[in-house]
Structure formats: C-alpha cells, structure tokens
C-alpha cells in the first residue's frame, strides 16, 4: 500500500454516496501514489451524518465543515454540497493547505468562481492542488473522443451538438427541492446539466466557447413544498447557440422536461474529416464516422472496453461494461495521481471558472433577449 492521505468529505447525499464509493475503491484498481483514508464525513444533522458515515465507510463525523477542514487527519477536502457553500469551504480549505476536489458547477456566481480560481492558483504555488469534479470527462468513451480529436482523426471541428436531457420535473406535482432554489443551486438545468455539456464540449474539442445566444424557461413556477407551495426560482430548461474560438458552431440544450429521457447526455462533433457521437445512456459506446473510409462508409460503433482505451485497463475484460460510478473512481485516480506527483490536475478551478462564465453569459443573453427576433403578425 502507498502512503495514506486523509480525506474529509462534506455532504452525503447523491454525490457523497458516489464519491465515497470512489474513495473506497480507487487504490484497489488504479496504481495511485496515495491511498485514500476515509477519515471524516461532514454533514449538518448528527444522526443522519453518523448513519451515512457507517453506511459509506467513514471513520468519524463532523457537523461543522470548519472543524472538518481544521482536522490534522484531513489532507484533502472533497466538497459534495449544493453550490451555495462551494466557495466558502474551498477558500477555507485551500488557505489551510488542504487539497480540494469540488463538485460542479464550481460556484453559484462568476465572482465566487473568480475568487476560487485565484485562491487555487496561489495554493498551487504552495503545492496545494485543486480540481473541479466534471466526471463526464472520465467516461472512457468521452476521453477516447478527446484522444481522436487531438490526433486529428476528424480534422477541423465545424459543429458541436450537445444535449443533456432528464425528465424528473415533468410532473408539476413533483415537489420542491434545493435544486429549484436560486440561492442554493445558482441556476437550474443550466448549472446542473448545462455545465456538464459545456465542459465536455470544450474538453473534447480542446477549444473554448467565446459567445452565446440563449433562451431559458421555467415551465412550472410553483411546486408542492411540505404543507404549502414553494416558488421555483431557477430555469427548468436552457437552450443556446455558441461560437468556439476556432470558428466552430455549437448548439446546446439542457432540460429536466424531456419525458422518457433519464440521463441522456449526448455529444456529437462534426469535423472536416469525420464525426463522433456519444450518448451517456449507452455510455460504453462511441460512434465514429471517417470520411477516409470512402463513400459507402457509415458510422462505426466502437465498444469502448478495450484495455488500451482510456481508464479501461484497470477494470474488466473487453465487453464487461462500466457504469456511472466508474467515472468518479477515474476522477479520484486522476486527482490522487496529480497530488502525489505534485502536478496540477485538470479540470482546474480556472477551467471551472471558464464554464461559469459561459453559464453567466447564457443567463445574460436569455434575460436581454437581445439576439432574439420576435415574429410578429406583419412578417
Ligand atoms: C441531477 O440532475 C444530476 O444528478 C446532476 O447533478 C449530476 O451532475 C448528473 O451527473 C446527473 O444528474
């Protein structure tokens, strides 16, 4: 076993569960330079936090994240809370010399993300590492898509078509959650789902979005909340056009109202020599079209389970499929490797800030309606 690193994780809901799974297993499959010790789990409610710690394998609990950050047995802080606390916890942890893994989106506002990126830069100079948890980069098929674009296999990128479709809000009777409150979540489908496809698109193309034209909607503005009714203060869906610095064009759609679509995170990239297409609901596959294959060619479906595909060598024989949880184990492996090797991991807080700027631009464009042409009776 390699040297241990004490992990303190704040939050124990969905992300806390899947991150715990990653910390428990990463060193058993990946040759990482540090072995995580699940030292402390943080949560506000003592009974629920203790229960979660016992279930997921954490040695101790703290009900105040400040106490967790200050502990001598915590060297890495993993932030799995809603966006409203990311900046506060990350800034305190970096100042205390703790490495930080932070769930996405990096923050609720650009100002918070700027402060976090600046603190991360300063901390890196002291050997303290930070990373934002865009786990879809760690889907082997998406990492393979990146590799193919980098190798020039599809030529120059012309189009990016990205959607992230869920349907859990389609029923107007579905109750309020923190995800529907702006002060907690920052934004709705935009920050929760749109952030993933913006990051994935920029990662796969190796390019940055330079401008957007957007529209957003909140279809159901109030929902059952305990005995009363709560106001939904975020978007339910966001649709936007984008330009990349290379001149490529992008279309993006993030929604929680696509009935029948559970977690359809899809990305298609068309280049001058070929195309790539991915759908998370078939996450072990990547479809590839190459113009070099001649006029009778079609899309080929690659089953991304070969040992030389990204991350796959650590797992099972070809054809024995991976799932959602593996992407977080890959993320933990990459972060531990960067911390152990003393290099800056990606995506950095600066990368998270770039995504945050895109989200803010989408909101600004949608609010201004300045790129929107209304079709009146006279047209
Ligand atoms: C909920 O919409 C959610 O869990 C997101 O918060 C995650 O980031 C995404 O991976 C799945 O959907």
């Amino acid at each position: 076993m390699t040297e241990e690193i004490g992990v303190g994780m704040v939050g124990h809901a969905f992300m806390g569960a899947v991150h715990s799974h990653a910390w428990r297993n990463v060193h058993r499959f990946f040759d990482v330079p540090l072995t995580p010790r699940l030292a402390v789990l943080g949560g506000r409610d003592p009974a629920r936090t203790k229960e979660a710690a016992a279930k997921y394998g954490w040695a101790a609990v703290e009900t105040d994240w400040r106490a967790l950050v200050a502990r001598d047995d915590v060297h890495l802080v993993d932030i799995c809370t809603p966006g409203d606390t990311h900046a506060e916890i990350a800034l305190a942890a970096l100042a205390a010399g703790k490495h930080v893994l932070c769930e996405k989106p990096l923050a609720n506002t650009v100002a918070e993300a700027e402060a976090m990126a600046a603190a991360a830069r300063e901390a890196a100079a002291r050997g303290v590492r930070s990373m934002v948890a865009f786990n879809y980069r760690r889907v082997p098929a998406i990492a393979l898509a990146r590799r193919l674009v980098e190798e020039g296999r599809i030529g120059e990128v012309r189009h990016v078509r990205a959607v992230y479709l869920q349907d859990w809000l389609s029923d107007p009777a579905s109750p309020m959650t923190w995800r529907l409150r702006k002060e907690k979540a920052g934004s709705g489908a935009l920050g929760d789902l749109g952030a993933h496809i913006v990051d994935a698109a920029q990662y796969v193309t190796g390019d940055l979005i330079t401008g957007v034209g957007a529209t957003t909607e909140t279809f159901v503005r109030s929902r059952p909340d305990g005995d009363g009714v709560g106001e939904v203060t975020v978007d339910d869906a966001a649709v936007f056009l984008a330009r990349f610095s290379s001149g490529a064009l992008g279309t993006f759609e993030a929604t929680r109202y696509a009935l029948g679509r559970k977690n359809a995170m899809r990305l298609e990239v068309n280049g001058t020599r070929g195309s790539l297409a991915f759908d998370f609901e078939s996450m072990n596959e990547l479809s590839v079209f190459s113009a070099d294959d001649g006029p009778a060619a079609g899309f080929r479906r690659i089953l991304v389970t070969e040992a030389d595909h990204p991350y796959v060598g650590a797992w099972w024989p070809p054809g024995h499929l991976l799932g959602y949880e593996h992407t977080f184990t890959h993320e933990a492996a990459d972060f531990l490797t960067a911390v152990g090797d003393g290099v800056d991991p990606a995506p950095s807080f600066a990368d998270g800030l770039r995504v945050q700027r895109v989200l803010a631009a989408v909101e600004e464009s949608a609010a201004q309606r300045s790129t929107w042409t209304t079709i009146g009776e006279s047209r």
Side-chain angles (χ1 to χ4, degrees):
M1 201 170 80
T2 55
E3 190 193 329
E4 284 198 337
I5 181 165
V7 179
M9 190 179 79
V10 193
H12 49 77
F14 178 19
M15 283 305 110
V18 74
H19 281 227
S20 299
H21 180 276
W23 294 125
R24 274 199 317 271
N25 291 302
V26 57
H27 55 289
R28 301 177 202 280
F29 291 90
F30 287 85
D31 201 8
V32 280
L34 295 163
T35 298
R37 192 163 40 76
L38 281 70
V40 193
L41 179 64
R44 276 172 307 184
D45 181 291
R48 286 179 45 220
T49 311
K50 264 193 203 143
E51 195 186 318
K55 185 171 173 192
Y56 300 133
W58 294 86
V61 300
E62 291 286 355
T63 50
D64 178 354
W65 63 260
R66 288 178 188 81
L68 177 144
V69 165
R71 283 176 66 130
D72 290 341
D73 58 350
V74 169
H75 307 287
L76 186 163
V77 174
D78 183 7
I79 305 174
C80 291
T81 54
D84 63 331
T85 48
H86 287 185
E88 208 183 5
I89 301 174
L91 294 177
L94 291 171
K98 313 288 166 98
H99 308 289
V100 177
L101 175 63
C102 183
E103 256 308 324
K104 48 52 66 174
L106 184 60
N108 277 3
T109 65
V110 168
E112 287 171 351
E114 278 172 347
M116 292 168 81
R121 198 166 46 244
E122 190 268 328
R126 292 184 272 119
V128 177
R129 312 291 158 196
S130 45
M131 189 171 99
V132 55
F134 281 117
N135 64 301
Y136 290 102
R137 286 186 179 214
R138 270 82 189 192
V139 174
I142 294 211
L144 179 62
R146 168 70 199 134
R147 191 192 279 176
L148 297 178
V149 172
E150 209 167 16
E151 289 172 359
R153 301 285 190 95
I154 66 161
E156 234 175 278
V157 174
R158 296 287 194 231
H159 288 287
V160 175
R161 215 163 287 109
V163 303
Y164 198 150
L165 314 173
Q166 295 183 346
D167 71 355
W168 59 277
L169 276 186
S170 303
D171 180 357
S174 166
M176 281 297 291
T177 90
W178 66 266
R179 292 182 186 275
L180 306 184
R181 297 186 203 283
K182 189 171 176 61
E183 71 279 10
K184 269 278 180 207
S187 65
L190 176 62
D192 186 29
L193 308 179
H196 276 307
I197 47 178
V198 167
D199 180 68
Q202 296 193 136
Y203 167 65
V204 168
T205 59
D207 198 1
L208 291 178
I209 292 172
T210 56
V212 297
T215 189
T216 61
E217 185 55 74
T218 304
F219 300 116
V220 177
R221 291 179 179 269
S222 58
R223 287 181 174 271
D225 192 7
D227 290 337
V229 167
E231 198 197 340
V232 176
T233 48
V234 297
D235 61 279
D236 284 333
V239 176
F240 55 99
L241 309 173
R243 294 194 79 95
F244 289 76
S245 68
S246 63
L249 301 181
T251 62
F252 292 78
E253 181 185 8
T255 179
R256 293 161 165 168
Y257 283 71
L259 258 183
R261 302 294 178 205
K262 301 302 167 185
N263 204 45
M265 184 275 201
R266 300 180 186 161
L267 185 67
E268 179 160 317
V269 183
N270 309 124
T272 49
R273 289 180 55 202
S275 295
L276 302 169
F278 170 80
D279 180 349
F280 187 76
E281 289 182 342
S282 303
M283 67 165 279
N284 289 271
E285 298 172 13
L286 182 68
S287 294
V288 180
F289 176 88
S290 174
D292 298 343
D293 292 346
F299 271 92
R300 278 182 292 127
R301 182 188 72 112
I302 300 178
L303 192 59
V304 190
T305 59
E306 299 295 325
D308 61 351
H309 288 147
Y311 302 108
V312 178
W315 298 108
W316 324 123
H320 296 71
L321 308 180
L322 302 191
Y324 180 63
E325 71 279 16
H326 291 86
T327 66
F328 292 86
T329 310
H330 303 162
E331 183 174 276
D334 288 344
F335 194 43
L336 290 173
T337 302
V339 169
D341 293 355
V343 298
D344 286 324
S348 65
F349 279 13
D351 296 323
L353 168 60
R354 281 189 201 105
V355 172
Q356 206 76 40
R357 289 194 198 288
V358 176
L359 304 181
V362 167
E363 286 189 320
E364 194 181 318
S365 167
Q368 286 175 350
R369 294 174 177 254
S370 55
T371 55
W372 196 254
T373 304
T374 304
I375 302 166
E377 288 303 314
S378 58
R379 263 183 201 262

